[in-house]
Every structure is written in C-alpha cells, then in structure tokens.
C-alpha cells in the first residue's frame, strides 16, 4: 500500500508519523491534492484531513483518480448522499467517519445500546463537545453523529452545546436525564494520535474491501 496525505497540517503530520512507524510508503503529502500526477494517484490510498470547503471542491477528483480514499474531514453532512453516490458511481472505495478514534467508535456502539434501552422510559438527552479554537465546524461531526444515534432511539434530537477552548483535542459528553437519575457517557481525547491511528487503519482496510463504508461499519460487529 502507498498513501497520499491530503492536508498537511497537524493531523497530516501525525498521520505521516503513523505511516512511517507502520512501514507504509507515503507518495506525497500536499495541500493541493488535485495537483498530483493521476498516474501516482491511481496507485495510492488518499487520506484526507482538509477543510470542509476543500473537500467539497476536491471530492470528485479524489473519487475519479485514487485507488481508495479515507475521509476524516467533517462539515459536509449536507452533501453526504451526493458524495457517497459519486464514489459508488466511480467504483472507488471510500471509508469516512466523523471520528476515526477507536475509542469514539466504541462510544458510538455504547450509545446505540444505551439509547435503545432508555427509549420510552422518560429520558431526555443532551450533548456537550469541546475542541481547540482552530476547529472550523461547530457542532463537531462527532457530536452530530452522536445526536443521530441517540435520536434514532429516543425520538428527539439532543441539544448540542459547543465550546472552543485552547488546544483541546476533543471531548464529548452525552447525558441522559430522567426524573430519578442521570446517565453520562463521555470520551476525552488526550491528543490527535488516536484519530491518526484509526485513519491509517482504515486505509489499510481498503486493501481488502470494495465499496463505501463508514469506519463504524467496519470495526463494530
């Protein structure tokens, strides 16, 4: 497997280090993925951690030229059907997620179970998410995913409160309140390392799959 890193900020540099540790060749790391030689792209898996506007502008090129694409960029939920449909039409494998942390995806699974148990038993839910001041989207994609999971069972969309503080990598707290108790499920990232590890794992998984998947679909059985 060879990889191209699209978006060479803090996440891009961290992904590069994970690739090196796993002895995976990096063909290039770039802020302008559409400038890559198509001949190089077709041999590579692209790992995209850019900005929402950049991904919106680039996703067609990614689908048309790369062997597979792993998308960690968030903030494009409104065109999800359009994007995933285009990848399917191009026959290009795509793995995407609002959060590639293994721990967060375990929390997603826990929320599915807890929400289904609490449904119809008088619980209301709320979500708080805190990230660094450089994060461009609010609420976070992870918080939106959590809200979708919870609302599918308990029947109402939880309110999401977003906070942008310092260099916080990412903290998410989901609270279920009733008249008699409160249940709290939370995840706190200590660094961006978990996101990078999960994204590279997803890239490796594309060697053995075909189609369009969320990361959660691949790791939660």
């Amino acid at each position: 497997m060879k990889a191209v890193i699209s978006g060479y900020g803090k996440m891009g540099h961290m992904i590069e280090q994970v690739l090196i540790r796993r002895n995976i060749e990096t063909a290039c790391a770039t802020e302008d993925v559409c400038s890559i030689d198509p001949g190089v792209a077709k041999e590579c898996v692209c790992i995209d951690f850019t900005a929402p506007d950049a991904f919106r502008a680039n996703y067609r090129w990614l689908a048309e030229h790369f062997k597979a694409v792993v998308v960690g960029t968030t903030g494009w939920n409104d065109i999800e059907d359009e994007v995933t449909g285009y990848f399917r039409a191009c026959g290009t494998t795509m793995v995407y997620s609002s959060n590639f942390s293994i721990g967060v995806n375990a929390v997603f699974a826990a929320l599915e179970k807890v929400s289904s148990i609490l449904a119809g038993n008088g619980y209301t839910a709320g979500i708080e998410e805190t990230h660094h001041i450089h994060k461009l989207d609010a609420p976070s994609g992870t918080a939106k995913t959590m809200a979708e999971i919870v609302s599918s069972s308990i029947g109402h969309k939880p309110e999401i409160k977003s906070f942008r503080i310092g260099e916080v990598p990412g903290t998410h707290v989901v609270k279920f309140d009733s008249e008699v108790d409160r249940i709290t499920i939370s995840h706190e990232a200590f660094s961006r390392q978990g996101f990078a590890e999960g994204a590279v794992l997803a890239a490796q998984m594309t060697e053995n799959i075909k189609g369009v998947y969320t990361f959660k679909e691949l790791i939660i059985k």
Side-chain angles (χ1 to χ4, degrees), residues 113-172:
K113 183 64 174 179
V114 170
S115 297
S116 66
I117 294 171
L118 299 182
N121 288 295
Y123 285 84
T124 59
I127 299 171
E128 295 180 0
E129 60 96 353
T130 305
H131 283 85
H132 51 84
I133 59 174
H134 315 289
K135 187 168 179 60
L136 298 178
D137 56 325
S140 69
T142 302
K144 290 179 180 178
T145 300
M146 290 175 166
E148 290 170 3
I149 291 170
V150 172
S151 65
S152 66
S153 290
I154 66 174
H156 74 272
K157 201 86 167 197
E159 179 186 3
I160 302 174
K161 296 180 180 179
S162 299
F163 305 94
R164 298 292 174 261
I165 301 171
E167 297 296 330
V168 177
T171 300
H172 293 84

Side-chain angles (χ1 to χ4, degrees), residues 15-200:
I15 287 166
E16 184 178 45
Q17 293 305 309
V18 175
L19 291 169
I20 291 170
R21 285 200 303 275
R22 297 190 185 183
N23 295 314
I24 299 171
E25 180 182 349
T26 302
C28 72
T30 179
E31 294 290 351
D32 182 13
V33 70
C34 297
S35 67
I36 293 174
D37 183 333
V40 172
K42 73 178 181 179
E43 301 296 328
C44 294
V45 179
C46 178
I47 304 176
D48 185 281
F49 276 85
T50 53
D53 288 347
F55 179 73
R56 289 168 185 269
N58 296 338
Y59 80 83
R60 291 182 178 86
W61 200 95
L62 298 177
E64 292 165 2
H65 292 90
F66 280 96
K67 182 170 67 172
V69 180
V70 172
V71 183
T73 305
T74 59
W76 50 274
N77 306 63
D78 56 311
I79 59 167
E80 181 176 342
D81 289 345
E82 177 184 330
V83 171
T84 55
Y86 198 77
F87 272 83
R88 289 189 181 96
C90 291
T92 302
T93 297
M94 175 190 187
V95 181
Y96 66 105
S97 181
S98 58
N99 195 310
F100 276 96
S101 160
I102 300 294
V104 164
N105 280 272
V107 170
F108 288 161
L111 286 173
E112 288 180 352
K113 183 64 174 179
V114 170
S115 297
S116 66
I117 294 171
L118 299 182
N121 288 295
Y123 285 84
T124 59
I127 299 171
E128 295 180 0
E129 60 96 353
T130 305
H131 283 85
H132 51 84
I133 59 174
H134 315 289
K135 187 168 179 60
L136 298 178
D137 56 325
S140 69
T142 302
K144 290 179 180 178
T145 300
M146 290 175 166
E148 290 170 3
I149 291 170
V150 172
S151 65
S152 66
S153 290
I154 66 174
H156 74 272
K157 201 86 167 197
E159 179 186 3
I160 302 174
K161 296 180 180 179
S162 299
F163 305 94
R164 298 292 174 261
I165 301 171
E167 297 296 330
V168 177
T171 300
H172 293 84
V173 180
V174 184
K175 297 178 181 179
F176 298 90
D177 288 322
S178 74
E179 292 183 355
V180 297
D181 61 7
R182 169 180 289 167
I183 299 166
T184 301
I185 298 175
S186 66
H187 179 274
E188 178 183 357
F190 298 148
S191 73
R192 296 177 176 86
Q193 184 70 31
F195 313 141
E197 296 281 356
V200 173

